[in-house]
Amino acid sequence: MLAKVHSGAVYGVEAYAVEIEVNTGRGDPQTVIVGLPDAAVKESKDRVNTAILNSGFEMPKDRLTINLAPADIKKEGPIFDLPIALGVLATMGDIPMEALAGFALVGELALSGAVRRVRGVLPITMAMREKKRPAILVPYDNADEAAVAEGIDVYPVHNLREAAEIVAGRLAVKPYRVDAAKVFEAHLAYEEDFAEVKGQEHAKRAIEVAVAGGHNLLMIGPPGTGKTMLARRVPSILPLMSLEESLETTKIHSITGTLPPRQALVTRRPFRSPHHTVSDAGLLGGGSHPMPGEVSLAHRGVLFMDELPEFHRNVLEVLRQPLEDGAVTISRASASLTFPCEFMLVAAMNPCPCGYYGDAKHNCRCTPLQIQNYRNKISGPLLDRIDIHIEVPSVKYQELAALGTGESSAVIRERVRAAHHIQQERFKGLRKVRCNAAMRAKELKEHCQLKPDAQAQLKMAITELNFSARAYDRILKVARTSADLAGKDQIESEHIAEAIQYRTLDRQFWI
């Protein structure tokens, strides 16, 4: 007998339909799986056999052949355990054949018959909806993420027997529902707030400007000055995620398995902080079956790289394409996959290997050559993509002991939101330019009009302060953002002056 079961799998960040054919016929009593299965899929025959027996059903006594179509795409993971098991039960007459046509199924089976959570359920559910499948059975722990895909009935199951009873129509259950809008609104608050940061007003203002214009940021200062504390609060002043952005981000986290059980959506801006020992594959993504890396997990959020010069040079260099394009392409012999990665880079570093160069309270033990070699680990092309770099000095005792609090993240976020709205109107109709940081030469000329005193100040910065040539465009972009925050149409001298302050690495002090 031949049974057909519908399932799905993930390739890149998108899902595709998989048709599972289960056939029992004459021959040696063995189970054969074909259709480019990997080791985990091949092992599913043992999990399925044992789970069926432990659930109180019988296994076929004849040859069992299982085909996973399309046969030219490699299948990975234990996601096909549940559909294979139900296909086997259909060939034994425990489930009506015609009943299987109304369901798509995904899930891993334990030997006891319990259904375990799997990765990629949200994109698979969305793909099944596009294929006009009326319903899908998913593991109980994946129910919330699956149910946010409206237009398809979701049935969470705890074990194989429950799944068989639902498909056969012997167990009447209502589809699982999740109100995505309510879930989205209920989890928007951030635990960390800029009101908790004592001092560092200059750094907080620089972060506000960076977020408002989509500028990447580099903080330089000795250990213990609060660079990490500041970075962790950057997502709290980014504009709140839209439902569309949330679904887009949740798909990536679902595929990588980083979405917590029973969580429906990623509702807050991601904050990813990889260790400096991360490989280029860990940062960008990769593997024999390419998976998204840290830059994609930071999509629509913040990628924080602490101790920037300690990262391997090749890891830093591969950041250049994602920062430029907002996407990363992984090429393999069989295909090329593109993962989205529109993120804000926030980096931190010490001014020297010991960390105390220029610090008034500690003596630096580094030689000039050591300091130069340390800073040279960050290449010019990477610095070209970082518009703002600031010094973060030690906090004074009076600031630490102060009882008052600074501005809250909610207040700062409102100013950022207003600046974002100005930029959305300014760049309406431009596909590749959505913020000031992405402006090209044409947009700079059109939108960065300077008043005479501002023009003179910029000329002085370039000719007399020994700023590098690459600093010119960056100063204009940051000054445009400063003017947007102030609600000004033209760039004034105070906006140029502020932008000049944010070019620490271009000053003679650092050269």
Side-chain angles (χ1 to χ4, degrees), residues 194-209 225 230 390-393 395 399 402 404-407 412 415 498 501-502:
F194 270 102
E196 303 162 349
V197 180
K198 298 291 184 71
Q200 302 296 9
E201 298 303 323
H202 174 66
K204 285 191 278 189
R205 170 62 183 179
I207 291 172
E208 179 181 341
V209 173
T225 57
L230 288 164
I390 57 169
E391 295 175 66
V392 183
V395 184
E399 294 173 326
T405 59
E407 281 188 311
I412 301 172
R415 293 198 295 267
E498 181 176 21
Q501 293 181 55
Y502 301 147

Side-chain angles (χ1 to χ4, degrees), residues 143-162:
D144 291 87
E145 63 173 296
V148 298
E150 297 178 353
I152 182 171
D153 290 337
V154 175
Y155 296 94
V157 293
H158 295 86
N159 54 63
L160 176 58
R161 177 163 284 279
E162 182 184 8

Side-chain angles (χ1 to χ4, degrees), residues 449-460:
Q449 301 297 323
L450 304 179
K451 288 190 173 182
D453 55 345
Q455 185 71 51
Q457 196 165 24
L458 180 57
K459 180 180 177 181
M460 181 270 293

